[in-house]
Amino acid sequence: MPTINDVARAAGVSPSTVSYVLSGRRPISAETRARVQAAIAELGFHPHAGARALASSKTNVLALVAPLRVDVNVPVIMQFATAVVTAARSYNHDVLLLTKDEGTAGLERVAHSTMVDALILMDIERDDVRLPAIRRLKQPSVLIGLPVDHAGIACVDLDFEAAAGLALRHLAGHGHRRIGLVGPSPSVYRRQTTYADRFLAGFLQVSGELELRTATHPCEPGVDGARAALADLDTELPGLTALVVHNEEALRPLLDLLRAAGRRVPEDISIVAVCPRDVAVAMPVNLTSIDIPAHDVGTLAVETAMRLLDNRRVDFTRLLEPSLVERDSCREIGPSHR
């Protein structure tokens, strides 16, 4: 394997100059930088992350901790991961993706081995067991989520409580008074994953404020789960005229079940989905939706991590305001249908 000394000899510079080209810690002339980069390409030199860390106390690597549990929507998680990777590259950082559900062990292993400069964590729970370990780490951390005890930890996310209120107010503005919530899977609620808990809390609060008749039901994966959720909502709330669906994977089965039962969207039942835009417009009906802004949240998480690394001031809690896009799945109803 070629070494930094081999690159230096090939480029006619000192090893320290090669190091400065790699780290960007000192200005190097364009001509010299080009010679070094040409030598690196010709020799196939790959700097060792551990050696870079020892030399500069920086690895130019961020860790993204995104446990791929059986009940997570992997395509949506990957939208967040793509946003983090893209934003990190703009800061000349790579991303180490950690997908195993290891609790605190994985965090401490990565942090203590000096593999990364900072950590970004997803799938945050209400009383997340990783919080004490996060507070002990020397590397800064950013959570995509909002646990109850988040003092001193940077958190970014969509304002899910506000998103639930926005969905209900939109439907109420169309005359709907009987509205069901199709939520994530029961295991997501059992873990008290913060996005689900916060959305449910906002839904119940605004339902009371608007004096709506509502019912909520988690939804197991697959057609059977969607069928059971819809049947239970119909039983608990006879004559419901609208659904809020906070479960991307349930959307297609729900639409298929409604169509098979002769319930037209939006003529017989209105739907507001909480999902990425590409999911909303890929359904048989273009769904009115509140976007999951994976790009914005992932980018903000990286920007926050970089500000922490530079010891710059950050807002420790940043919740993005939700936005609703009206498409083809909601309609006004008259008093006789309420």
Side-chain angles (χ1 to χ4, degrees), residues 16-142:
S16 61
T17 298
V18 177
S19 178
Y20 294 144
V21 169
L22 292 170
S23 69
R25 293 179 64 195
R26 290 190 182 179
I28 302 294
S29 71
E31 179 186 352
T32 300
R33 180 180 297 276
R35 290 209 315 273
V36 170
Q37 290 173 337
I40 288 172
E42 182 179 348
L43 295 174
F45 172 70
H46 296 286
H48 187 268
R52 288 205 311 268
L54 290 172
S56 67
S57 299
K58 288 184 62 178
T59 65
N60 282 65
V61 177
L62 303 178
L64 175 61
V65 184
L68 296 184
R69 299 185 173 102
V70 294
D71 53 12
V72 303
N73 189 318
V74 175
V76 174
I77 293 294
M78 287 301 104
Q79 289 192 18
F80 283 94
T82 300
V84 168
V85 170
T86 302
R89 287 310 308 152
S90 70
Y91 289 96
N92 196 32
H93 275 62
D94 293 312
V95 174
L96 174 65
L97 180 61
L98 305 176
T99 60
K100 189 175 180 180
D101 186 9
E102 297 181 279
T104 60
L107 301 182
E108 293 175 339
R109 183 185 70 252
V110 170
H112 293 163
S113 63
T114 325
M115 295 171 64
V116 300
D117 295 331
L119 298 93
I120 297 172
L121 295 87
M122 297 185 63
D123 203 37
I124 306 301
E125 297 173 6
R126 182 182 185 276
D127 299 302
D128 204 296
V129 298
R130 299 171 293 181
L131 296 181
I134 289 169
R135 290 189 169 99
R136 291 194 302 267
L137 298 179
K138 64 179 181 180
Q139 294 96 332
S141 297
V142 180

Side-chain angles (χ1 to χ4, degrees), residues 282-326:
M283 293 295 128
V285 178
N286 281 339
L287 297 176
T288 295
S289 70
I290 296 172
D291 185 29
I292 301 292
H295 173 79
D296 294 342
V297 171
T299 299
L300 180 58
V302 172
E303 291 173 351
T304 303
M306 301 311 298
R307 292 184 69 88
L308 289 170
L309 286 170
D310 291 340
N311 295 314
R312 289 185 287 165
R313 188 187 69 81
V314 300
D315 294 322
F316 274 87
T317 301
R318 289 284 304 277
L319 298 180
L320 301 186
E321 183 179 353
S323 62
L324 183 146
V325 177
E326 180 77 89

Side-chain angles (χ1 to χ4, degrees), residues 202-219:
F203 186 91
L204 296 175
Q205 178 181 336
V206 174
S207 173
E209 291 174 0
L210 299 180
E211 298 181 340
L212 303 173
R213 296 187 61 184
T214 59
T216 68
H217 205 284
C219 183

Side-chain angles (χ1 to χ4, degrees), residues 174-195:
H174 282 63
H176 297 277
R177 309 297 298 173
R178 301 182 182 211
I179 304 169
L181 168 63
V182 179
S185 71
S187 59
V188 171
Y189 286 117
R190 283 195 296 269
R191 289 202 314 271
Q192 295 185 304
T193 309
T194 62
Y195 72 85

